[in-house]
Amino acid sequence: MRTKKIKKPLTIDQKISRRTFISFGAFTALSAGAFFSWRWLYNSPKEVGGITKGAHAPLRRVLNNNEQVFRKTFSHKNLVKTYPRSMAAKQVRYNSSIGMNLKAPFDVAAWRLQIKKLSGDVLTITLDDLKALPKTEIVFAFKCVEGWDQISHWGGVKFTDVIDHYKLHNETELAYVGLETPDKSYYVGLDMPSATHPQTLLAYEVNGRPLPLKHGAPLRLIIPVKYGIKNLKRIGTISFSNNRPRDYWAERGYDYYSGL
Ligand SMILES: Nc1nc2c(c(=O)[nH]1)N[C@H]1C(S)=C(S)[C@@H](COP(=O)(O)O)O[C@H]1N2
Ligand SMILES: [Mo]
Protein backbone atom coordinates (compact mmCIF):
# COMPACT_ATOMS: atom_id res chain seq x y z
CA MET A 1 0.00 0.00 0.00
CA ARG A 2 1.34 3.39 -0.94
CA THR A 3 1.32 6.01 1.75
CA LYS A 4 0.89 9.64 0.94
CA LYS A 5 3.93 11.67 1.88
CA ILE A 6 3.02 14.15 4.58
CA LYS A 7 5.20 17.16 5.12
CA LYS A 8 6.38 16.98 8.66
CA PRO A 9 6.22 20.27 10.56
CA LEU A 10 9.68 21.60 11.41
CA THR A 11 10.88 21.10 14.92
CA ILE A 12 11.90 24.15 16.98
CA ASP A 13 15.58 23.35 16.46
CA GLN A 14 15.14 23.12 12.72
CA LYS A 15 13.32 26.45 12.69
CA ILE A 16 16.13 28.10 14.60
CA SER A 17 18.83 26.73 12.38
CA ARG A 18 16.90 27.81 9.29
CA ARG A 19 16.62 31.34 10.63
CA THR A 20 20.28 31.40 11.53
CA PHE A 21 21.09 30.34 7.99
CA ILE A 22 18.91 33.09 6.49
CA SER A 23 20.31 35.71 8.86
CA PHE A 24 23.83 34.68 8.04
CA GLY A 25 23.11 34.89 4.33
CA ALA A 26 21.57 38.33 4.71
CA PHE A 27 24.52 39.49 6.82
CA THR A 28 26.99 38.28 4.20
CA ALA A 29 25.07 39.97 1.39
CA LEU A 30 24.83 43.29 3.26
CA SER A 31 28.49 43.15 4.23
CA ALA A 32 29.49 42.52 0.64
CA GLY A 33 27.22 45.38 -0.44
CA ALA A 34 28.77 47.71 2.11
CA PHE A 35 32.27 46.65 1.11
CA PHE A 36 31.70 47.14 -2.62
CA SER A 37 29.98 50.52 -2.02
CA TRP A 38 32.90 51.62 0.09
CA ARG A 39 35.39 50.41 -2.51
CA TRP A 40 33.45 52.21 -5.23
CA LEU A 41 33.61 55.44 -3.21
CA TYR A 42 37.25 54.89 -2.28
CA ASN A 43 38.28 54.33 -5.90
CA SER A 44 35.96 57.01 -7.25
CA PRO A 45 37.49 59.88 -9.18
CA LYS A 46 38.70 62.87 -7.22
CA GLU A 47 38.02 66.49 -8.01
CA VAL A 48 40.95 67.92 -9.91
CA GLY A 49 40.58 71.67 -9.97
CA GLY A 50 39.18 74.15 -7.53
CA ILE A 51 39.65 74.55 -3.84
CA THR A 52 38.25 71.12 -2.92
CA LYS A 53 40.57 69.21 -5.26
CA GLY A 54 41.45 65.77 -3.96
CA ALA A 55 38.01 65.22 -2.40
CA HIS A 56 36.03 62.23 -3.70
CA ALA A 57 33.86 63.60 -6.47
CA PRO A 58 30.63 61.72 -5.59
CA LEU A 59 30.72 63.16 -2.05
CA ARG A 60 31.29 66.72 -3.23
CA ARG A 61 28.58 66.19 -5.85
CA VAL A 62 26.01 65.77 -3.07
CA LEU A 63 27.05 69.07 -1.48
CA ASN A 64 27.17 70.85 -4.82
CA ASN A 65 23.69 69.55 -5.68
CA ASN A 66 22.40 70.68 -2.28
CA GLU A 67 23.84 74.10 -3.04
CA GLN A 68 21.89 74.25 -6.29
CA VAL A 69 18.66 73.48 -4.43
CA PHE A 70 19.39 76.13 -1.79
CA ARG A 71 20.34 78.69 -4.39
CA LYS A 72 17.04 78.25 -6.22
CA THR A 73 15.09 79.19 -3.10
CA PHE A 74 17.53 81.92 -1.99
CA SER A 75 16.11 85.41 -2.15
CA HIS A 76 17.13 88.79 -0.76
CA LYS A 77 13.51 89.07 0.39
CA ASN A 78 13.92 86.09 2.73
CA LEU A 79 15.31 87.53 5.91
CA VAL A 80 16.85 85.58 8.76
CA LYS A 81 14.71 85.79 11.90
CA THR A 82 15.66 88.70 14.19
CA TYR A 83 15.05 89.23 17.91
CA PRO A 84 14.58 92.11 20.33
CA ARG A 85 17.82 93.50 21.75
CA SER A 86 16.80 92.40 25.23
CA MET A 87 17.22 88.79 24.09
CA ALA A 88 20.84 89.23 22.99
CA ALA A 89 23.49 87.44 25.07
CA LYS A 90 25.50 89.72 27.37
CA GLN A 91 28.41 87.24 27.37
CA VAL A 92 29.02 86.63 23.70
CA ARG A 93 30.44 83.24 22.97
CA TYR A 94 33.95 83.10 21.56
CA ASN A 95 34.89 80.23 19.26
CA SER A 96 38.32 80.23 17.63
CA SER A 97 41.04 82.59 16.48
CA ILE A 98 42.75 81.22 13.38
CA GLY A 99 44.45 84.09 11.56
CA MET A 100 44.44 86.38 14.59
CA ASN A 101 47.20 85.63 17.05
CA LEU A 102 45.55 86.85 20.24
CA LYS A 103 48.81 86.62 22.21
CA ALA A 104 50.61 89.10 19.98
CA PRO A 105 49.70 92.81 20.18
CA PHE A 106 47.56 94.05 17.32
CA ASP A 107 47.57 97.71 16.35
CA VAL A 108 43.92 98.41 15.63
CA ALA A 109 44.69 102.06 14.80
CA ALA A 110 47.12 101.03 12.05
CA TRP A 111 44.64 98.57 10.56
CA ARG A 112 43.23 99.23 7.07
CA LEU A 113 40.68 97.34 5.02
CA GLN A 114 41.92 96.58 1.52
CA ILE A 115 39.41 96.06 -1.25
CA LYS A 116 40.84 94.73 -4.50
CA LYS A 117 39.06 96.20 -7.50
CA LEU A 118 38.83 94.53 -10.92
CA SER A 119 40.95 97.30 -12.39
CA GLY A 120 43.79 96.10 -10.18
CA ASP A 121 43.48 99.17 -7.94
CA VAL A 122 43.30 98.52 -4.23
CA LEU A 123 41.08 100.69 -2.02
CA THR A 124 42.58 101.36 1.40
CA ILE A 125 39.82 102.08 3.89
CA THR A 126 40.00 103.13 7.55
CA LEU A 127 37.57 102.20 10.27
CA ASP A 128 36.46 105.85 10.45
CA ASP A 129 35.65 105.74 6.72
CA LEU A 130 33.33 102.82 7.41
CA LYS A 131 31.83 104.41 10.52
CA ALA A 132 30.92 107.45 8.41
CA LEU A 133 28.57 105.22 6.36
CA PRO A 134 25.05 104.40 7.64
CA LYS A 135 25.14 102.07 10.63
CA THR A 136 23.02 98.91 10.66
CA GLU A 137 22.36 96.68 13.66
CA ILE A 138 21.08 93.13 13.83
CA VAL A 139 20.10 90.71 16.60
CA PHE A 140 19.95 87.14 15.31
CA ALA A 141 20.79 83.55 16.28
CA PHE A 142 24.44 83.02 15.35
CA LYS A 143 25.02 79.32 14.54
CA CYS A 144 28.26 77.39 14.68
CA VAL A 145 28.68 74.04 12.88
CA GLU A 146 30.12 72.68 16.11
CA GLY A 147 26.60 72.63 17.50
CA TRP A 148 26.01 75.81 19.45
CA ASP A 149 23.92 78.85 18.66
CA GLN A 150 23.42 82.10 20.48
CA ILE A 151 21.31 85.21 19.97
CA SER A 152 23.74 88.10 19.62
CA HIS A 153 23.66 91.78 18.72
CA TRP A 154 26.02 93.21 16.10
CA GLY A 155 26.48 96.64 14.57
CA GLY A 156 28.34 97.85 11.51
CA VAL A 157 27.88 98.74 7.88
CA LYS A 158 25.89 96.72 5.40
CA PHE A 159 28.12 95.12 2.79
CA THR A 160 25.83 96.54 0.08
CA ASP A 161 26.28 100.06 1.51
CA VAL A 162 30.03 99.61 1.09
CA ILE A 163 29.45 98.38 -2.48
CA ASP A 164 27.31 101.44 -3.27
CA HIS A 165 29.59 103.96 -1.58
CA TYR A 166 32.78 102.71 -3.26
CA LYS A 167 30.99 101.99 -6.57
CA LEU A 168 31.88 98.32 -6.70
CA HIS A 169 28.99 97.32 -8.96
CA ASN A 170 31.21 95.85 -11.67
CA GLU A 171 32.80 93.73 -8.96
CA THR A 172 29.46 92.40 -7.69
CA GLU A 173 28.65 91.20 -11.21
CA LEU A 174 31.13 88.42 -10.50
CA ALA A 175 30.13 85.16 -8.77
CA TYR A 176 32.17 85.23 -5.55
CA VAL A 177 33.66 87.36 -2.81
CA GLY A 178 36.81 86.30 -0.96
CA LEU A 179 37.81 87.59 2.48
CA GLU A 180 41.10 86.98 4.26
CA THR A 181 42.65 87.93 7.58
CA PRO A 182 45.62 90.35 7.34
CA ASP A 183 48.03 87.42 7.87
CA LYS A 184 46.11 85.37 5.23
CA SER A 185 45.85 82.28 7.41
CA TYR A 186 42.03 82.30 7.70
CA TYR A 187 40.03 82.91 4.58
CA VAL A 188 36.51 82.37 3.29
CA GLY A 189 34.72 82.40 -0.04
CA LEU A 190 31.13 83.56 -0.38
CA ASP A 191 28.68 83.27 -3.25
CA MET A 192 27.67 86.77 -4.37
CA PRO A 193 23.92 86.46 -3.56
CA SER A 194 24.77 85.68 0.08
CA ALA A 195 27.40 88.43 0.31
CA THR A 196 24.95 91.02 -1.01
CA HIS A 197 22.06 89.78 1.15
CA PRO A 198 20.59 92.79 3.02
CA GLN A 199 21.53 91.34 6.44
CA THR A 200 25.22 90.87 5.63
CA LEU A 201 27.35 93.31 7.65
CA LEU A 202 30.93 94.38 8.03
CA ALA A 203 30.60 94.64 11.80
CA TYR A 204 32.64 96.84 14.16
CA GLU A 205 30.43 96.56 17.25
CA VAL A 206 28.93 93.87 19.46
CA ASN A 207 26.32 94.82 22.08
CA GLY A 208 26.77 98.47 21.07
CA ARG A 209 30.49 98.46 21.99
CA PRO A 210 33.59 98.28 19.75
CA LEU A 211 34.48 94.67 18.91
CA PRO A 212 36.95 93.09 21.33
CA LEU A 213 40.00 91.51 19.67
CA LYS A 214 38.72 87.97 20.24
CA HIS A 215 35.53 88.77 18.32
CA GLY A 216 37.50 90.12 15.38
CA ALA A 217 38.43 93.76 16.06
CA PRO A 218 38.40 96.09 14.34
CA LEU A 219 36.16 94.60 11.61
CA ARG A 220 34.53 91.21 11.10
CA LEU A 221 31.99 89.72 8.77
CA ILE A 222 28.48 89.03 10.07
CA ILE A 223 26.60 86.96 7.50
CA PRO A 224 23.43 85.58 9.12
CA VAL A 225 22.54 83.40 6.10
CA LYS A 226 25.68 81.31 6.75
CA TYR A 227 27.12 79.21 9.54
CA GLY A 228 29.74 80.74 11.86
CA ILE A 229 32.69 79.39 9.87
CA LYS A 230 32.00 81.96 7.12
CA ASN A 231 31.77 84.90 9.58
CA LEU A 232 35.45 85.85 9.22
CA LYS A 233 36.94 87.85 12.08
CA ARG A 234 39.66 90.51 11.62
CA ILE A 235 39.08 91.20 7.92
CA GLY A 236 42.22 92.26 6.05
CA THR A 237 41.30 92.03 2.38
CA ILE A 238 38.21 91.63 0.25
CA SER A 239 38.37 90.53 -3.39
CA PHE A 240 35.99 89.49 -6.16
CA SER A 241 36.19 86.62 -8.67
CA ASN A 242 34.28 84.24 -10.87
CA ASN A 243 36.14 81.22 -9.50
CA ARG A 244 35.54 80.03 -5.98
CA PRO A 245 38.00 81.84 -3.69
CA ARG A 246 40.00 79.64 -1.34
CA ASP A 247 38.11 78.73 1.82
CA TYR A 248 39.76 77.46 4.99
CA TRP A 249 37.08 75.01 6.11
CA ALA A 250 36.03 73.86 2.62
CA GLU A 251 39.68 72.82 2.13
CA ARG A 252 39.22 70.69 5.25
CA GLY A 253 36.09 68.95 4.02
CA TYR A 254 33.26 71.24 5.12
CA ASP A 255 30.55 72.35 2.74
CA TYR A 256 31.74 75.31 0.64
CA TYR A 257 28.28 76.88 0.62
CA SER A 258 27.59 76.39 4.38
CA GLY A 259 24.21 78.09 4.10
CA LEU A 260 21.40 77.88 6.63
N1 LIG B 1 39.75 84.89 11.74
C1 LIG B 1 38.89 83.96 12.17
N2 LIG B 1 37.57 84.13 11.95
C2 LIG B 1 36.70 83.19 12.40
C3 LIG B 1 37.13 82.02 13.04
C4 LIG B 1 38.52 81.86 13.23
O1 LIG B 1 39.01 80.86 13.79
N3 LIG B 1 39.38 82.86 12.80
N4 LIG B 1 36.23 81.06 13.46
C5 LIG B 1 34.90 81.08 12.81
C6 LIG B 1 33.93 80.26 13.53
S1 LIG B 1 34.04 78.57 13.34
C7 LIG B 1 32.91 80.80 14.25
S2 LIG B 1 31.70 79.85 14.95
C8 LIG B 1 32.86 82.26 14.48
C9 LIG B 1 32.84 82.53 15.96
O2 LIG B 1 32.83 83.89 16.25
P1 LIG B 1 33.01 84.32 17.73
O3 LIG B 1 34.31 83.77 18.22
O4 LIG B 1 32.95 85.81 17.76
O5 LIG B 1 31.86 83.68 18.48
O6 LIG B 1 33.97 82.96 13.92
C10 LIG B 1 34.37 82.49 12.67
N5 LIG B 1 35.38 83.39 12.17
MO1 LIG C 1 32.10 77.76 14.13
Side-chain angles (χ1 to χ4, degrees), residues 95 144-146 148 228-229:
N95 203 71
C144 172
V145 287
E146 286 174 50
W148 58 267
I229 45 177

Side-chain angles (χ1 to χ4, degrees), residues 93-98 100 142 144 148 154 181 186 214-215 220 228-229 231-233:
R93 207 166 158 157
Y94 155 76
N95 203 71
S96 49
S97 61
I98 306 158
M100 28 182 240
F142 188 104
C144 172
W148 58 267
W154 307 89
T181 53
Y186 194 76
K214 63 176 180 171
H215 290 301
R220 76 170 301 166
I229 45 177
N231 289 243
L232 183 131
K233 300 190 280 190

Side-chain angles (χ1 to χ4, degrees), residues 1 8 11 45 52 80 93 99 118 143 232-233 260:
M1 194 167 97
K8 258 204 295 175
T11 66
T52 52
V80 167
R93 207 166 158 157
L118 290 187
K143 298 186 182 73
L232 183 131
K233 300 190 280 190
L260 285 162

Side-chain angles (χ1 to χ4, degrees), residues 197-255:
H197 183 276
Q199 291 172 308
T200 300
L201 304 184
L202 301 185
Y204 48 77
E205 287 182 357
V206 61
N207 282 331
R209 311 278 316 150
L211 283 183
L213 280 175
K214 63 176 180 171
H215 290 301
L219 191 74
R220 76 170 301 166
L221 183 70
I222 285 294
I223 182 160
V225 296
K226 299 287 190 197
Y227 277 104
I229 45 177
K230 295 283 192 185
N231 289 243
L232 183 131
K233 300 190 280 190
R234 196 186 284 183
I235 307 172
T237 57
I238 299 181
S239 59
F240 304 85
S241 60
N242 270 326
N243 295 330
R244 282 178 164 187
R246 64 194 196 121
D247 185 279
Y248 186 90
W249 286 112
E251 288 171 0
R252 286 155 183 81
Y254 282 80
D255 178 21

Side-chain angles (χ1 to χ4, degrees), residues 106-117:
F106 182 73
D107 188 355
V108 171
W111 171 92
R112 298 287 182 274
L113 171 65
Q114 298 200 308
I115 301 187
K116 295 180 178 166
K117 299 194 23 160

